[in-house]
Amino acid sequence: MTVHPSVHDPDEPAGGSARAHDQLSGLIRHGGRRPWGWVGLPRATAEHAFRASAVMVVAGPVADDVAFLLVRRSWTLRHHPGEFAFPGGGIDPGETPVAAAIRECHEETGMLIDPERVLGVLPALALQASANVVAPVVAWAGDDVRSRPARRRPDRETHSTHWVPRRHLTDPEHRATVIDGEGWTGPGLLLEDSCIWGFTAKVLDWLLDELGWSRPWDTSRLHRVAQGKSARAGGTRALR
């Protein structure tokens, strides 16, 4: 068995929402111990003449825990139907990554994030296979935002909106290594009848580790996706 290293003692509470806010804010301001960017998802440079995009990574208090906002993509979409992702999309001419992420989040979930809730923007990553440069915009949602029900807007890209609790994401039984038939691998987080993987899982995996919320998990537990998908999502070729 291969066990993912832990940076959080599972017998110790990870802290309340106020502490979680401070931890997340500090991480965005000062950076983490593990470099931001991966093989298959490098930091964007001037050489990456790709479509500029932004995603909204929103965390907020829920009951006695913290949760992250995800959307489940529509089943009618051509690419990644029914999969979980951060709300986001292309940056329009004249927009900043923050403005684009706020707009896309509102369009896809009905939730309007106040710019003052934005903690910062992580360096953009280059998704070479899809020709996108994606900037994660990190925000903290107050109770006024989180408790507001997601309106069913006429957005063809979103099937449903979900607040996924930290305790679910850090549960070792919900962790897996994603593989496909081409030797690609990456972190995965099991959710309902699906799996969070690719870019979304990479970002969540990095945040959970750097915030000290991760727990040991068995990296030999495998979850298979359709052939070739992991490569397009920034997976890493497995060692043979």
Side-chain angles (χ1 to χ4, degrees):
M1 174 186 293
T2 304
V3 177
H4 191 282
S6 174
V7 290
H8 165 60
D9 183 346
D11 295 325
E12 293 291 334
S17 62
R19 182 184 176 195
H21 170 274
D22 292 343
Q23 289 175 309
L24 185 58
S25 179
L27 175 62
I28 302 307
R29 286 199 312 268
H30 305 300
R33 293 164 294 182
R34 182 159 47 123
W36 172 250
W38 300 267
V39 175
L41 282 173
R43 287 198 187 195
T45 68
E47 297 179 358
H48 296 111
F50 299 155
R51 174 178 181 251
S53 304
V55 296
M56 180 62 80
V57 182
V58 186
V62 51
D64 60 345
D65 200 2
V66 175
F68 287 90
L69 176 66
L70 296 176
V71 297
R72 191 163 201 181
R73 291 168 58 83
S74 171
W75 294 98
T76 63
L77 293 178
R78 181 177 179 182
H79 299 293
H80 307 296
E83 293 179 2
F84 290 93
F86 299 118
I91 300 176
D92 289 340
E95 274 190 321
T96 64
V98 170
I102 290 174
R103 173 181 55 76
E104 288 284 347
C105 183
H106 189 219
E107 291 175 357
E108 295 181 10
T109 71
M111 299 181 188
L112 185 59
I113 305 298
D114 192 310
E116 294 185 358
R117 298 282 188 180
V118 173
L119 302 177
V121 183
L122 290 169
L125 300 179
L127 280 68
Q128 300 186 42
S130 62
N132 276 277
V133 167
V134 185
V137 176
V138 182
W140 181 266
D143 287 329
D144 56 331
V145 174
R146 188 194 56 77
S147 62
R148 187 184 305 168
R151 298 191 296 275
R152 293 307 305 163
R153 301 174 62 86
D155 186 271
R156 66 178 183 84
E157 297 182 1
T158 304
H159 172 74
S160 54
T161 302
H162 303 258
W163 285 99
V164 185
R166 169 178 57 185
R167 64 168 59 90
H168 182 100
L169 297 173
T170 59
D171 186 335
E173 294 302 311
H174 298 152
R175 301 301 306 269
T177 297
V178 173
I179 61 171
D180 69 3
E182 297 182 345
W184 296 89
T185 182
L189 302 106
L190 304 179
L191 181 63
E192 295 186 357
D193 57 345
S194 185
C195 178
I196 306 168
W197 60 279
F199 174 84
T200 304
K202 288 273 192 179
V203 174
L204 286 172
D205 181 69
W206 184 83
L207 288 173
L208 295 175
D209 276 356
E210 294 301 327
L211 291 168
W213 298 346
S214 290
R215 296 168 58 186
W217 59 279
D218 180 8
T219 57
S220 68
R221 181 189 296 120
L222 304 180
H223 180 90
R224 184 178 295 275
V225 297
Q227 190 171 20
K229 280 190 174 183
S230 293
R232 294 194 296 273
T236 303
R237 184 166 294 281
L239 298 176
R240 296 187 182 279

